[in-house]
């Protein structure tokens, strides 16, 4: 018999309890990092991040939501809050080195927010060193989960934060532009990873051209890249193949209105496998629901105040799929 979401979540140990044991042993477990990206703006990345955060918080998991959309921070709106006066803009402007003092509580117990950087224009494209430092700090954050809300586009810092996360989620809406952007986002993320992991100058050059979408050397997809490398070097082929096999992403189709829209979930999964050679796991669809904008306008976090709506129920199913594998994978059973 299918278990209800609350029943399923009861099976998941409270990481806070696990942590206190680890702390006593002086062996603090780093947080589990999830990132939500997808290339296109307005598809629902912040909507998904905020609601997943609320779900985790309600299950007793300390959760830090990070507004990593440095160009257009608005995660606070989904949590029913005004823009926090402190946030990553202070970190990027070197006004604060301690992220802890930039984090603000939300109305959901255990859930806190590290606000974005909308007052600090330079932060819209942070330097490599700033991004690296942010990652180091997040790895040491005293929380169970870190959820990264990424901005639109395929800027390198966005791709790097996406690759930094153990759980990578992409959100797409049922529009051709969004679907096109998600393919581009996934290709770019994979190419960026290859560039960082493989030292061959020739491969770096091919990958640079592929990311630029110049494709003047015929390499447009990971499949093309591996094919080209295989003509050159079997050892490198194996290394890049290993990267391809371990590149795993989960997909949400949001704002679904018709049954045709919901078929996109499997269609994208299959297209990624066939044309890009990338493994994408279908997490689920979330229906378009007018109560979403109502919740934003009334500043009432969606799954907190509209838990009986169709979309909230679908989101619960997504969380169930996300949280259950954590048990085995991160050894918190
Ligand atoms: N399932 C849904 N049903 C109805 N409206 C939705 C749904 N999901 C999101 N929206 C609406 O779409 C708008 C955009 O969502 P959101 O801000 O989460 O997108 P985003 O991908 O984070 O965009 P950006 O890249 O610009 O930050 C929201 O203002 C919200 O009102
Ligand atoms: Mg957003």
């Amino acid at each position: 018999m299918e278990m209800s979401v609350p029943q399923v979540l009861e099976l998941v140990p409270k990481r806070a309890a696990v942590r206190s044991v680890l702390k006593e042993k002086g062996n603090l477990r780093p947080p589990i990092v999830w990132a939500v990206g997808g290339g296109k703006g307005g598809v629902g990345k912040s909507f998904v991040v905020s609601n997943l955060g609320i779900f985790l918080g309600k299950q007793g998991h300390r959760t830090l939501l990070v507004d990593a959309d440095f160009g257009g921070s608005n995660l606070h709106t989904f949590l029913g809050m005004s823009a926090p006066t402190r946030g990553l803009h202070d970190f990027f402007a070197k006004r604060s080195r301690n992220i802890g003092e930039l984090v603000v509580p939300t109305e959901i117990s255990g859930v806190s927010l590290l606000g974005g950087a909308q007052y600090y224009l330079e932060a819209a494209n942070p330097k490599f060193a700033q991004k690296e430092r942010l990652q180091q700090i997040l790895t040491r954050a005293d929380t169970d989960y870190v959820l990264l809300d990424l901005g639109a586009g395929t800027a390198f810092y966005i791709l790097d934060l996406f690759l930094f996360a153990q759980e990578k989620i992409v959100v797409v809406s049922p529009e051709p532009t969004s679907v096109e952007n998600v393919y581009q986002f996934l290709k770019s993320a994979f190419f960026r990873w290859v560039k960082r992991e493989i030292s061959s100058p020739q491969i770096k050059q091919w990958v640079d051209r592929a990311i630029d979408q110049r494709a003047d050397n015929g390499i447009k997809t990971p499949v093309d890249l591996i094919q080209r490398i295989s003509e050159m070097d079997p050892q490198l082929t194996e290394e890049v193949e290993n990267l391809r096999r371990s590149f795993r992403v989960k997909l949400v189709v949001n704002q679904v209105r018709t049954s045709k829209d919901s078929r996109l979930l499997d269609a994208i999964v299959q297209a990624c496998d066939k044309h890009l050679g990338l493994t994408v796991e279908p997490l689920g669809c979330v229906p378009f629901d007018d109560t979403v904008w109502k919740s934003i306008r009334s500043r009432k976090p969606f799954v907190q105040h509209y838990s009986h709506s169709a979309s909230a129920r679908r989101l619960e199913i997504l969380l169930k799929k996300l949280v259950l594998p954590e048990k085995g994978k991160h050894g918190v059973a």
Side-chain angles (χ1 to χ4, degrees), residues 221-284:
T221 68
V223 173
D224 298 336
L225 177 70
I226 291 169
Q227 170 63 34
R228 184 64 64 86
I229 300 171
S230 71
E231 292 159 11
M232 188 182 86
D233 186 329
Q235 171 67 32
L236 273 176
T237 311
E238 192 50 31
E239 285 176 36
V240 179
E241 261 294 339
N242 283 339
L243 291 180
R244 187 189 65 78
R245 279 193 286 264
S246 48
F247 185 85
R248 296 199 164 262
V249 172
K250 291 174 174 158
L251 172 71
V252 175
V253 180
N254 184 35
Q255 308 191 25
V256 164
R257 287 181 168 92
T258 64
S259 56
K260 191 174 166 211
D261 289 349
S262 45
R263 287 202 291 276
L264 253 187
L265 186 71
D266 288 332
I268 294 174
V269 168
Q270 281 161 21
C272 285
D273 180 43
K274 188 169 168 203
H275 302 297
L276 307 185
L278 298 179
T279 306
V280 174
E281 185 187 322
L283 208 52

Side-chain angles (χ1 to χ4, degrees), residues 40-47 69 74 78 151-152 254-255 286-289 292-293 296 311:
K40 178 136 183 359
V43 292
K45 299 182 290 296
S46 304
F47 168 71
D69 183 350
N74 61 6
F78 290 84
N254 184 35
Q255 308 191 25
V286 182
F288 182 90
D289 187 340
V292 174
W293 69 260
I296 296 171
S311 301

Side-chain angles (χ1 to χ4, degrees), residues 131-155:
K131 182 218 66 198
E132 290 285 298
R133 174 114 183 89
L134 175 62
Q135 287 180 190
Q136 281 169 11
I137 288 175
L138 293 177
T139 307
R140 293 199 300 267
D142 186 19
T143 183
D144 302 319
Y145 287 90
V146 170
L147 269 56
L148 300 174
D149 179 19
L150 303 180
T154 54

